[in-house]
Amino acid sequence: EKSISLGGLATIGLINIYLPLCDGMGHKVTTGIAEELLLLSIRHGYDTLDPAWLTGEGQPSARYRTAFNPCEYVIDLDQWVADTGTEIRFDTVFCRPVMEGDRCVAVVVEEKGGRVAYRCAAVVDATGDADALMRAGAACVEGGNWLTNWCFIADWKSGMPRAEGRNVHIDRYRLKVAGSVAGGRIPSEAGPYRGLTAHEVTRYVMDGRRNIRESVNPDESTVMLLPTMADLRTTRRLRGAVALTPEDDHRHTADSIGCVGDWRKPGPVFEVPFGSLYDPAIANMLAAGRCTAAVGDAWEITRVIPTCALTGQAAGTAAAMTALSGQALRDLPVAELQGRLSGDGVMIHYDFD
């Protein structure tokens, strides 16, 4: 992890909204680790979750989503991962894969003690930018980003900074402060941003901070908290053996690794294909999160927290299978993968009838 916190945009990015695990029609569609992580996000902090989702009593009046405290989530994620026996390496940056033919046999990283190569039997690329896969030679597609920033503004004189905290979201068109509009259109010369070079990331971050300063004016009773990573959305993704498309809504997928809804509106449900997690030309590297293969508007669905968690669980399970068997991902028995995921609580197929 290149920062010192797990969670990425959900924590140090201050995007403290765990988007819906439901179809917007009262039905839970995304389960497994995705649901486990939602519940973890509110274990020791505040939440806005409709309790009907937990009690099963009555019909929920709101979607299966919640706001959470990102700082408390950092600490809970630390313990959650450590309890599995996983070794964490903070302040460590991925450099490149070491390839032998179509197989990655090691990853080179830069850490506090210097440059180190870790041998591996499988790799999951959760960089968000497909950095590992691209450098391994996988076919990738670039996206684009308009200026987006979040910050928290808390009123300390009220004595209730957490309750009074407000999200400030700046996008291409307007500044939203607690649901109201304050500010105007960001200049057209500000975007889009590729977000794939140090120059582009720096420009994105600096332009965003400058826009916050010009648009938000905290007084002496308030304090501002800024994210410590760039809130980029779509930078680069895997082309994939197959890609999720907008037309896949309410369509059964034979190699589905789980279901997701559309966080923006009720109704749509997608079965995410296993083929969207790997390049058939590379034997043992998978994508997880926003860099999985998705076309057009479907990329808006795969880039958010619930789908990132779902694809992360599937990619991790498939990585373990290929590491133990030596089989290439393109030859992995999908039915066995689906069985393992289902056994771990994932809803593989949705009843569209």
Side-chain angles (χ1 to χ4, degrees):
E1 166 58 47
K2 64 182 179 180
S3 74
I4 58 167
S5 299
L6 301 174
L9 287 172
T11 54
I12 61 174
L14 299 184
I15 310 227
N16 67 321
I17 301 174
Y18 205 114
L19 291 172
L21 302 181
C22 66
D23 63 356
M25 313 292 284
H27 308 110
K28 179 168 59 177
V29 300
T30 308
T31 53
I33 282 179
E35 185 173 23
E36 190 174 344
L37 285 171
L38 181 149
L39 299 177
L40 181 69
S41 75
I42 57 176
R43 179 175 293 175
H44 295 112
Y46 64 85
D47 70 83
T48 56
L49 184 66
D50 185 332
W53 287 109
L54 301 181
T55 64
E57 298 175 0
Q59 185 73 5
S61 60
R63 297 196 69 173
Y64 194 178
R65 56 173 280 171
T66 186
F68 57 87
N69 184 321
C71 296
E72 293 193 82
Y73 199 21
V74 167
I75 300 172
D76 286 333
L77 283 167
D78 285 346
Q79 190 61 53
W80 184 73
V81 173
D83 285 346
T84 69
T86 301
E87 292 187 21
I88 303 170
R89 293 290 183 271
F90 287 138
D91 197 14
T92 299
V93 180
F94 168 79
C95 296
R96 66 179 181 88
V98 178
M99 304 296 294
E100 290 184 0
D102 66 352
R103 192 171 292 272
C104 181
V105 296
V107 289
V108 179
V109 301
E110 186 78 28
E111 57 182 42
K112 184 58 66 177
R115 188 158 291 194
V116 179
Y118 288 97
R119 294 192 63 83
C120 58
V123 176
V124 176
D125 183 337
T127 63
D129 307 314
D131 288 340
L133 283 157
M134 185 275 295
R135 295 174 191 178
C140 294
V141 177
E142 291 190 10
N145 300 270
W146 296 102
L147 193 60
T148 305
N149 277 95
W150 286 64
C151 70
F152 285 168
I153 299 177
D155 185 347
W156 291 102
K157 287 190 175 181
S158 71
M160 298 178 63
R162 183 162 63 183
E164 295 294 325
R166 295 177 294 170
N167 284 338
V168 180
H169 174 220
I170 299 173
D171 63 20
R172 183 186 177 190
Y173 301 104
R174 59 191 177 276
L175 170 69
K176 300 178 183 177
V177 183
S180 63
V181 176
R185 179 184 290 272
I186 290 175
S188 59
E189 62 269 19
Y193 301 76
R194 290 177 62 241
L196 294 174
T197 65
H199 170 75
E200 283 288 295
V201 173
T202 302
R203 185 170 72 92
Y204 180 92
V205 171
M206 296 290 281
D207 287 354
R209 289 175 183 166
R210 188 179 305 111
N211 199 71
I212 288 176
R213 170 53 66 212
E214 294 171 354
S215 306
V216 182
N217 298 296
D219 57 30
E220 67 277 1
S221 69
T222 58
V223 62
M224 181 188 297
L225 178 64
L226 295 175
T228 53
M229 69 177 290
D231 293 331
L232 293 162
R233 298 179 179 183
T234 52
T235 52
R236 180 172 52 222
R237 64 163 176 84
L238 182 69
R239 186 178 297 278
V242 297
L244 187 72
T245 73
E247 292 72 37
D248 290 326
D249 177 22
H250 278 69
R251 178 185 296 171
H252 281 300
T253 302
D255 67 338
S256 171
I257 49 86
C259 305
V260 294
D262 189 330
W263 57 276
R264 301 162 299 179
K265 58 186 177 183
V269 178
F270 297 82
E271 295 183 353
V272 180
F274 175 52
S276 67
L277 308 188
Y278 69 92
D279 183 324
I282 299 179
N284 65 336
M285 298 183 71
L286 300 109
R290 73 181 189 210
C291 58
T292 59
V295 173
D297 194 55
W299 201 351
E300 291 295 316
I301 294 167
T302 58
R303 70 174 178 82
V304 297
I305 293 175
T307 315
C308 289
L310 174 74
T311 55
Q313 181 172 3
T317 303
M321 290 174 61
T322 193
L324 291 170
S325 69
Q327 290 177 292
L329 292 166
R330 56 185 175 270
D331 300 323
L332 212 63
V334 174
E336 182 181 344
L337 171 63
Q338 292 171 325
R340 289 172 181 260
L341 291 171
S342 179
D344 288 334
V346 176
M347 180 189 297
I348 302 297
H349 295 291
Y350 186 75
D351 184 3
F352 293 121
D353 299 325

